[in-house]
Amino acid sequence: MAVMLQAKDALEWTYKGEGGVNLVLAYCGKSPDFVGKVLRIQKVPRNGSAYNGHSALTTHECLLWGVLEGLDSEPTREIIEQLYVQQVMCPLLGSKHVDAGIRVLVSREFLEAVENKVLCQRPSRRVHDAKVNPLCDSVLLITDHSIFPHVSGIIKNDFCLSVEIKPKCGFLPILEFIAPENAVKTSISRFEMYQALKMNQGKISHISKYDPLDLFSGSKDRVHNAMKSLLMTPQNNFRVFLNGSLIFGGLGGAADCTTCMVDQAFDYALKQVIRAEDGMHTKYFLELVTESVYKSGLLNRVLEVQKLDIIDIEGAIHLYYDIVSQPCMVCRQKGEKERYASLHSIPREQSLKIVRDYLISATAKDLSMMISFKSRENGDLESSCSTVYLKSTNQIFDYKVAFIDLDMKPLKKMEYYYQLDQQIVSCYVKMKRAAKEVDNRESIKETSQTN
């Protein structure tokens, strides 16, 4: 797109949310080029130096991604990540459900104006951690999946309800390269174990009952249970929008748990879309989301991509050290070179593929799924979307599914992934051990009192 956004254009963009890497702005102006779109703007750590995106792939990343056309020759990381979505994630998840976006030029004055405008709307912890990168020369323009555009591109006046779900990892790893002390990984989901660490670190105040294994199970009842759990403790895994405006969940932070007051307000907001008696809108909304997730079958595709991780981080980390030509720190720490000798003898091309697939899997484990709904009224003949029937309210809904947050993972994060994995498992095991000791003491106390 030839246009360059200037400082005055910041007035037409409003804060939508953010993740760890990008700030997201929604368009509130009238330009046909931007209606129904959002901007993804790169952030940088507040305690670090800004950079202009011209740090492209490292030497080892060029080796890793050289199998993809043009990916290792682009001058900036931003362009590379867009090509990654086009060439890797679109074929895997389906181009119908992925918008790679287009780059829009921006001035430094625009970025500074945006930073000042949204500062008071951002969660405090996000403000503390990062700021808009003022040295970027372009940002990504993508479809706003929280609204339902008409086929002509003009936003209709109908009410649109959208839900954003961050499913997380939906399978359990195999035991082959997992250390004996970490065997719990093969029976408990990573999400459940991570909850213990987050609680211990004070990042959450309530343990979520959500289990990704339910969502990916293929059982409608288990999918429904997953939805109910996400509603009770949404954290940063569940958000709902009405006509593009957030009505449930956190704005780039985490909504820890749902209070009675929040639940009542949410139920009231759903009146615009779900036809039901007072107090029943939320129940039927969850039925609608469950039915669409189950019917679409798209989580099966996500799971296939996640399962590109075939040997878990405890296996892949060894291949990482071979690729970067460094001594394996894991073998050195554990003193078990013989056990992992088979990994270190894998041919280089195979090692590259396994680590490449692991990083693609990491993208799929961290993506978000957006489902947008619009009630189909009598005489509405639009048929470009899938439909779902909500039996409880006798309503038919058009719905569309899109995948977002498909960021390319840097090769250097392999060490971070391994260290975090070990920290998660260690904390969970200690928590369970402590809980068991408490139970044993209580049992002994009750027995002594009885005697």
Side-chain angles (χ1 to χ4, degrees), residues 256-267:
D256 209 2
C257 64
T258 303
T259 64
C260 181
M261 186 176 296
V262 169
D263 189 41
Q264 290 176 355
F266 179 56
D267 192 82

Side-chain angles (χ1 to χ4, degrees), residues 170 211-224 226 294 299-300 303:
D211 189 344
L213 301 182
D214 287 336
L215 189 63
F216 286 94
S217 67
S219 161
K220 188 184 291 188
D221 287 342
R222 290 183 66 184
V223 171
H224 191 243
Y294 183 79
L299 283 179
N300 295 332
L303 189 59

Side-chain angles (χ1 to χ4, degrees), residues 16-299:
K16 181 94 171 176
E18 62 187 288
V21 179
N22 297 289
L23 191 75
V24 181
L25 304 180
Y27 186 64
C28 58
K30 297 180 180 180
S31 170
D33 291 333
F34 299 125
V35 170
K37 305 288 185 180
V38 296
L39 284 184
R40 283 186 56 174
I41 302 178
Q42 187 184 79
K43 301 191 299 184
V44 289
R46 197 167 287 277
N47 59 358
S49 58
Y51 62 95
N52 60 6
H54 294 280
S55 53
L57 297 181
T58 65
T59 301
H60 293 114
E61 284 178 325
C62 286
L63 194 64
L64 190 73
W65 298 108
V67 295
L68 300 174
E69 184 179 354
L71 211 67
D72 58 347
S73 60
E74 291 295 343
T76 71
R77 189 91 188 188
E78 294 171 324
I79 297 175
I80 289 167
E81 293 200 352
Q82 187 181 13
L83 287 176
Y84 170 78
V85 173
Q86 291 173 342
Q87 294 187 30
V88 178
M89 302 313 297
C90 277
L92 290 172
L93 297 175
S95 56
K96 179 182 177 182
H97 307 290
V98 176
D99 178 12
I102 58 174
R103 303 224 67 89
V104 177
L105 296 175
V106 293
S107 67
R108 178 165 183 156
E109 290 75 18
F110 172 79
L111 296 172
E112 290 173 344
V114 165
E115 169 73 15
N116 293 330
K117 181 179 180 183
V118 305
L119 193 61
C120 62
Q121 298 171 277
R122 299 176 61 200
S124 57
R125 73 176 182 89
R126 295 290 193 188
V127 173
H128 179 268
D129 290 343
K131 61 181 179 180
V132 170
N133 185 355
L135 300 185
C136 286
D137 52 17
S138 66
V139 296
L140 195 63
L141 182 72
I142 60 176
T143 302
D144 184 350
H145 297 292
S146 68
I147 56 178
F148 217 111
H150 190 256
V151 288
S152 65
I154 300 173
I155 305 300
K156 298 181 71 175
N157 292 325
D158 303 328
F159 286 103
C160 169
L161 190 64
S162 299
V163 58
E164 178 183 349
I165 303 168
K166 192 174 280 291
K168 307 308 288 187
C169 183
F171 72 101
L172 299 173
I174 59 173
L175 189 60
E176 186 176 4
F177 297 108
I178 293 175
E181 64 269 22
N182 296 338
V184 66
K185 290 167 62 173
T186 63
S187 59
I188 304 295
S189 73
R190 176 187 171 91
F191 182 88
E192 181 178 339
M193 290 190 290
Y194 203 175
Q195 289 287 296
L197 179 61
K198 288 183 176 181
M199 176 70 86
N200 188 57
Q201 294 173 333
K203 293 182 178 180
I204 58 174
S205 59
H206 294 79
I207 294 286
S208 174
K209 292 184 179 180
Y210 168 64
D211 189 344
L213 301 182
D214 287 336
L215 189 63
F216 286 94
S217 67
S219 161
K220 188 184 291 188
D221 287 342
R222 290 183 66 184
V223 171
H224 191 243
N225 285 336
M227 291 302 163
K228 289 192 290 186
S229 297
L230 285 169
L231 185 76
M232 290 303 298
T233 47
Q235 297 182 2
N236 67 335
N237 302 99
F238 192 75
R239 301 200 299 169
V240 184
F241 301 85
L242 182 62
N243 286 355
S245 296
L246 186 72
I247 60 171
F248 184 86
L251 257 180
D256 209 2
C257 64
T258 303
T259 64
C260 181
M261 186 176 296
V262 169
D263 189 41
Q264 290 176 355
F266 179 56
D267 192 82
Y268 182 81
L270 293 175
K271 278 186 174 184
Q272 309 287 356
V273 182
I274 307 291
R275 293 199 295 258
E277 298 177 359
D278 288 347
M280 298 298 290
H281 300 92
T282 301
K283 178 178 183 295
Y284 296 148
F285 163 72
L286 290 179
E287 290 180 9
L288 174 64
V289 177
T290 299
E291 188 65 36
S292 61
V293 167
Y294 183 79
K295 184 179 179 181
S296 74
L298 288 172
L299 283 179

